[in-house]
Amino acid sequence: MSIAQKELVIIRSKSLSVIVPTYNESKNIVGILDSLRKHLPIGTDTEIIVVDDDSPDGTGNIVEEYAKNSKKENTQSVQIIHRKTERGLSSAILTGIKYAKGDAVVVMDGDFSHPPQTIPKMIEELQKSECDIVVASRYVNGGSVKGWPFRRKIISKGATKIARHGLGIKIKDPMSGFFAFKRNIINNIKFDAIGYKILLEILVKARGVKVKEIPYEFINRKEGSSKLDTSIAIDYVKSLWKLYRYGKTIREKEKRVSVRFLSKAGRFYTVGASGLLVNYLVSFLFGVVLSNLWYIYATMIGIVFSMTSNFILNKVWTFEDRDFNLKKTLRQYGLFLGFSGIGAIFQIFMIYILVETRHMNYSIALFVAVVIASVGNFILNKRWTFQEKVWS
Ligand code: GDD
Ligand code: MN
């Protein structure tokens, strides 16, 4: 099947909107529109939406004229949205998406960095492989960047690395400005739309979608200039942080109760183990290294230190309570110490019973008592000291 035939199939089954955000692209935009119309499937189901932010160089008017003429010629529809007050690449793209009637949406730059020839392949992939987002990628096999200075290449790679690792994104080029997606996957997303990285926001917020990358060659613009400046770089950091926070809350929410419970129990026992070490080291320090304190005193100091460090670690880490209100904290500390005491007494009592009345082997009795006492300790502290539901 030739490309042309495939495109015909696409027109019949689905409609397509291509969104081109522009700011001062007067030297590029006519060429882009011509090229798009040449390479896109011809038919009424395809619309090109240019979103212009009142460009001082008159890009908006040029497109306005172009749209009128193309209507006369009755080819694909070209529409122009003039934004008078709003600004910004991501928000322009969102405006375009809002107006888009297609089931599939393509987003591309208006400066020839993104070759329109790639679009049919993207749409084909969107249908063929049943994925939800197709990203035209510079960083998969076969993709590349042409004409960028070394500095910009490094910055782009670095920013990409940060996004991939920081946000747990698997694809190679999450910063791409060239992508296609099924419109309905973003219906429930609340966008921040800060700066340039709208795709990143979609990747983080559209849960469970399938993404595919196909290679293309990014060609640096020949006309006009990039609008990526320091303030957009700052926006990038802002949006990364917001997306990171967002992902964290979602991950927490999605964790099953059993996982959350076990993870807290795990932390509680880790803290307990760290207490042994603190206990030993502090006692050793006071009893042997620093002074010739009576060894019983040294041991007591060790115990106080380890109980305190256990309390603080459990408060901050295990139960994630960062409220250090003095009265509240002291009350918690008291309860924590109290439960430890109760646990110790219970443990002794239990071992005594098991060994004396059940004639259990001491080592087994010890084990049983330690397990029961420490589980009890965890639950009591969870419920009363840190005021959580037991099963949460
Ligand atoms: N409406 C509108 N409003 N359009 C804008 C604005 C804006 O505030 N800022 C930029 N644009 C348009 C430009 O006219 C161009 O068509 C497109 O958005 C991309 O802007 P450039 O300034 O050319 O971006 P770039 O080439 O530096 O960055 C591109 O490549 C990056 C890959 O590293 C973009 O595609 C980025 O999204 C992409 O991450
Ligand atoms: Mn560009």
Side-chain angles (χ1 to χ4, degrees), residues 30 33-34 37 62-70 78:
V30 170
L33 293 172
D34 283 343
R37 289 170 55 207
I62 297 172
V63 179
E64 185 93 48
E65 279 305 303
Y66 191 104
K68 273 186 211 144
N69 293 334
S70 68
V78 174

Side-chain angles (χ1 to χ4, degrees), residues 5 54-55 69 89 91-92 98-99 101 112 131 136 170 172 178 182 215 220 235 258 266 281 288 303 352-353:
Q5 280 170 312
D54 209 13
S55 299
N69 293 334
L89 179 50
S91 88
K98 223 179 276 163
Y99 282 85
K101 291 191 277 302
F112 285 107
C131 54
K170 298 203 176 60
K172 293 266 162 43
F178 193 16
K182 292 177 181 155
N220 197 14
D235 280 346
S258 56
L281 289 179
V288 184
I303 289 175
Y352 182 78
I353 300 274

